[in-house]
Amino acid sequence: MLDRDLLVRIERAGVHAWPASDVVERDGWLWRFSHGGSQRANSVSALSYSGRDVDAAIDAVEAHYGARKVPAMFQVSDVSEPDDLDQRLAQRGYRINDGCVTLVKAIEPSAEMPLGTIYFDCAASDWFACYASVITPARRRTAPQILQRIPQPRSFCGVVREGRIAATALAVANDDIVIAECVATLAEVRGTGAASAVMRGLEAWGAAQGCRLAALQAVETNLPAQALYRRLGYRVHGRYHMRVKD
């Protein structure tokens, strides 16, 4: 059974962990814009809605993004408001892009840091090189600006193999939840346990901050990643997708 309150907390922690360059709050919705790249940082977070005219609100969103010459995009989750937002967007011609799952795991206060794990306060060059190896060119252009805005407490976690960063994860603590972002592994070391190690390192850092839950959002069709998170004990607690107006 879906714990709606927990999912809202996780989704809000996710918004906090990946801040857009420009944010406008309107009737509870957050209109986010970051000059391309990340979909989340260039879409509407619709976790609450206090307005009275939903269609007028969507019109305003479309005008806002249209003025920036980018398509209007909504992040629609199991807890988006209003409840019929997804249907309204579908009727207006918004297509679904990138179905994702929200994954959650309880972490023990005594979680220990694996050997070979290191922590940075910023995106060091070799850390970023590893992360950049798995993302699109558009995201590579805008990611450095987003990473500079990551709020404290945070940690750029890395696992060292043969003298270089072979796996990355960005940990961002918010109350009792640590959000995992930027999980990446160099292609040549996949299957060696580096990804598992960096996630355990993230969990250990989160436990040290007083977090009791680790959470992340991953593309549902990325089967290797989904298998990794299942092995580590993460379980699906919700879903979201992007609705895009071409």
Side-chain angles (χ1 to χ4, degrees):
M1 182 177 180
L2 176 69
D3 184 336
R4 185 180 180 88
D5 290 341
L6 174 59
L7 186 53
V8 169
R9 288 204 302 121
I10 292 170
E11 295 287 342
R12 292 194 185 282
V15 172
H16 170 82
W18 198 246
S21 61
D22 299 317
V23 180
V24 175
E25 190 276 330
R26 188 72 58 86
D27 294 331
W29 286 353
L30 298 181
W31 303 356
R32 301 173 291 182
F33 178 68
S34 296
H35 306 278
S38 165
Q39 292 189 100
R40 284 179 297 151
N42 291 278
S43 63
V44 175
S45 172
L47 294 175
S48 63
Y49 180 69
S50 57
R52 296 185 178 181
D53 188 335
V54 181
D55 286 324
I58 297 173
D59 287 341
V61 166
E62 292 176 357
H64 179 79
Y65 285 98
R68 288 155 179 77
K69 303 189 186 312
V70 295
M73 188 183 313
F74 284 76
Q75 183 177 348
V76 184
S77 75
D78 294 333
V79 290
S80 289
E81 293 184 358
D83 291 341
D84 64 348
L85 176 62
D86 198 47
Q87 292 91 329
R88 287 176 179 270
L89 295 174
Q91 290 168 2
R92 293 172 70 117
Y94 283 72
R95 63 179 173 84
I96 290 179
N97 189 30
D98 284 353
C100 297
V101 290
T102 298
L103 302 164
V104 186
K105 174 185 178 179
I107 52 178
E108 297 296 329
S110 59
E112 295 184 0
M113 178 181 72
L115 291 175
T117 304
I118 58 176
Y119 299 90
F120 303 95
D121 187 54
C122 62
S125 59
D126 50 351
W127 186 98
F128 184 77
C130 177
Y131 168 56
S133 71
V134 304
I135 60 177
T136 64
R139 290 175 64 192
R140 283 188 213 116
R141 287 193 296 272
T142 57
Q145 289 73 42
I146 294 176
L147 293 173
Q148 289 177 356
R149 294 191 296 269
I150 303 300
Q152 298 280 4
R154 68 188 184 199
S155 183
F156 294 80
C157 311
V159 165
V160 176
R161 292 284 190 272
E162 298 181 358
R164 61 177 176 165
I165 301 293
T168 64
L170 168 60
V172 187
N174 189 13
D175 294 328
D176 64 340
I177 300 169
V178 57
I179 296 291
E181 301 279 0
C182 304
V183 180
T185 309
L186 293 177
E188 57 268 34
V189 300
R190 288 174 189 164
T192 66
S196 296
V198 81
M199 287 302 298
R200 291 197 302 272
L202 176 142
E203 294 162 13
W205 180 88
Q209 307 303 308
C211 298
R212 296 296 171 259
L213 295 173
L216 61 99
Q217 295 169 321
V219 176
E220 194 162 14
T221 55
N222 187 342
L223 300 183
Q226 295 294 336
L228 166 69
Y229 299 132
R230 281 196 302 273
R231 289 196 302 272
L232 292 172
Y234 287 82
R235 297 294 177 261
V236 175
H237 193 71
R239 287 177 164 78
Y240 79 84
H241 54 255
M242 296 295 178
R243 283 278 187 183
V244 185
K245 185 71 173 290
D246 290 319

